[in-house]
Amino acid sequence: MLFQIRAYLKFLWNSKNEHGVHSPFVFNLLTKCFYDRKSKPEYAILKKYRKSFLDNKNFIEVTDFGSGSRVFKSNRRQISKIAKTAGISEKRAELLYRVTKYFKPESILEIGTSLGLATSALALGNIHAKVITLEGCPQTANECQSQLQKFNFNNVDSIVTEFEKYFQDIKLRLKTETENFDLIYFDGNHSKKATLAYFQVLLPTIKNDSVWIFDDIHWSPEMEEAWEAIKSHQKVTVTIDTFQWGFVFFRYEQKKEHFVIRA
């Protein structure tokens, strides 16, 4: 916790808003998407979806393949508390919706479904997109799949799998065929090793307009190290640090720049 406080203070010291940005691409993203304060009808749907879990007092047994929880001491967890503490916040869900709507991705991959609070934002952002979401815990996935069906999120393909297994399969497919994702949301394993491994495996799927979002880039010193390695990669051009999220772009027409933005 002390590490994150220090990291946040450092972020605040270095961060800017749109007035300190000279890149037209990033300026437009900030003014037309990040800082869009207008209410959207879809926000009410996201709020209802969230409330369906906040009102659920049942317990499930969570299988955790990631770096563990700083909140829960047991794998037997109440669904309402998972939604309250482990899921994406309401404001972040709205931002993720706006980002998806802004870029209009046709193919989306989410690594780490949990209860689908982020999944619902991705699915609503472009109802014509195909959203593939991966979850390792069967009971969590079952709860999510049930609610996605109730809310008619029919463009979501929910896959219950260990992430390593999925990436082994995708590596084999990429040897003989092309596979692309327009947007990838990384929220499955907050460790340096896993984050960089997923990054490397998925690099062959990028297009010029691909958008990658990494959650919790300041979670720990090793996650910050992973973020620094991603920023410096030769195929990465523009990166944006919003503290909670790291945005990565591969646009060949952009010069390499990094932005620290209050969002």
Side-chain angles (χ1 to χ4, degrees):
M1 182 62 72
L2 183 60
F3 168 80
Q4 288 184 320
I5 292 172
R6 288 173 177 167
Y8 187 63
L9 291 174
K10 182 179 178 181
F11 166 82
L12 289 177
W13 179 261
N14 293 313
S15 62
K16 302 175 182 179
N17 56 24
E18 76 273 23
H19 301 297
V21 172
H22 302 294
S23 163
F25 169 74
V26 176
F27 182 82
N28 286 333
L29 174 60
L30 297 183
T31 55
K32 297 179 180 180
C33 177
F34 279 26
Y35 299 151
D36 180 1
R37 306 304 182 197
K38 296 177 183 177
S39 182
K40 319 288 182 190
E42 290 82 2
Y43 292 172
I45 300 173
L46 295 177
K47 188 172 288 188
K48 278 185 179 181
Y49 184 86
R50 177 182 301 275
K51 189 174 185 299
S52 71
F53 287 112
L54 291 174
D55 291 342
N56 190 332
K57 305 304 180 185
N58 295 327
F59 284 82
I60 59 173
E61 193 72 25
V62 173
T63 306
D64 198 336
F65 295 101
S67 55
S69 171
R70 289 177 174 170
V71 177
F72 297 102
K73 304 303 180 185
S74 166
N75 285 343
R76 186 174 183 271
R77 302 171 189 176
Q78 193 172 40
I79 291 172
S80 59
K81 290 184 178 178
I82 296 174
K84 185 176 181 180
T85 61
I88 190 174
S89 71
E90 185 173 331
K91 291 299 180 185
R92 286 283 159 182
E94 292 174 359
L95 175 56
L96 190 58
Y97 161 79
R98 293 198 302 275
V99 167
T100 310
K101 189 172 181 63
Y102 182 81
F103 287 110
K104 299 179 176 61
E106 295 180 359
S107 57
I108 300 172
L109 174 64
E110 179 187 28
I111 306 167
T113 316
S114 188
L115 295 173
L117 301 180
T119 318
S120 58
L122 293 167
L124 270 179
N126 184 3
I127 59 174
H128 301 295
K130 178 183 178 181
V131 182
I132 297 174
T133 183
L134 313 178
E135 175 55 48
C137 173
Q139 290 196 27
T140 305
N142 287 340
E143 295 293 334
C144 174
Q145 289 169 0
S146 175
Q147 288 306 104
L148 289 173
Q149 290 174 3
K150 286 180 182 178
F151 280 78
N152 295 315
F153 288 119
N154 300 317
N155 58 334
V156 177
D157 182 8
S158 178
I159 301 175
V160 183
T161 180
E162 291 186 39
F163 302 148
E164 285 71 18
K165 172 65 168 60
Y166 181 83
F167 291 125
Q168 285 173 5
D169 293 342
I170 206 171
K171 280 175 72 174
L172 290 174
R173 291 201 302 272
L174 288 170
K175 290 180 179 180
T176 58
E177 58 189 86
T178 301
E179 189 162 356
N180 298 112
F181 295 108
D182 299 309
L183 188 153
I184 303 180
Y185 180 57
F186 296 79
D187 185 25
N189 189 325
H190 298 150
S191 72
K192 176 182 177 180
K193 181 179 179 182
T195 300
L196 293 180
Y198 302 163
F199 175 83
Q200 290 293 340
V201 169
L202 291 167
L203 268 180
T205 72
I206 63 171
K207 298 191 291 187
N208 188 61
D209 296 324
S210 293
V211 183
W212 288 12
I213 307 171
F214 290 85
D215 187 50
D216 278 337
I217 55 173
H218 297 285
W219 167 270
S220 64
E222 70 165 16
M223 276 302 290
E224 286 194 341
E225 291 171 7
W227 175 236
E228 290 300 319
I230 290 166
K231 283 164 50 180
S232 64
H233 194 276
Q234 61 181 0
K235 289 191 176 181
V236 172
T237 54
V238 176
T239 51
I240 302 174
D241 178 349
T242 68
F243 188 74
Q244 180 73 32
W245 288 342
F247 287 78
V248 175
F249 302 92
F250 305 89
R251 297 160 57 85
Y252 69 85
E253 67 271 30
Q254 300 277 143
K255 67 177 182 179
K256 199 172 185 70
E257 287 186 281
H258 176 62
F259 300 87
V260 181
I261 299 295
R262 297 187 295 275

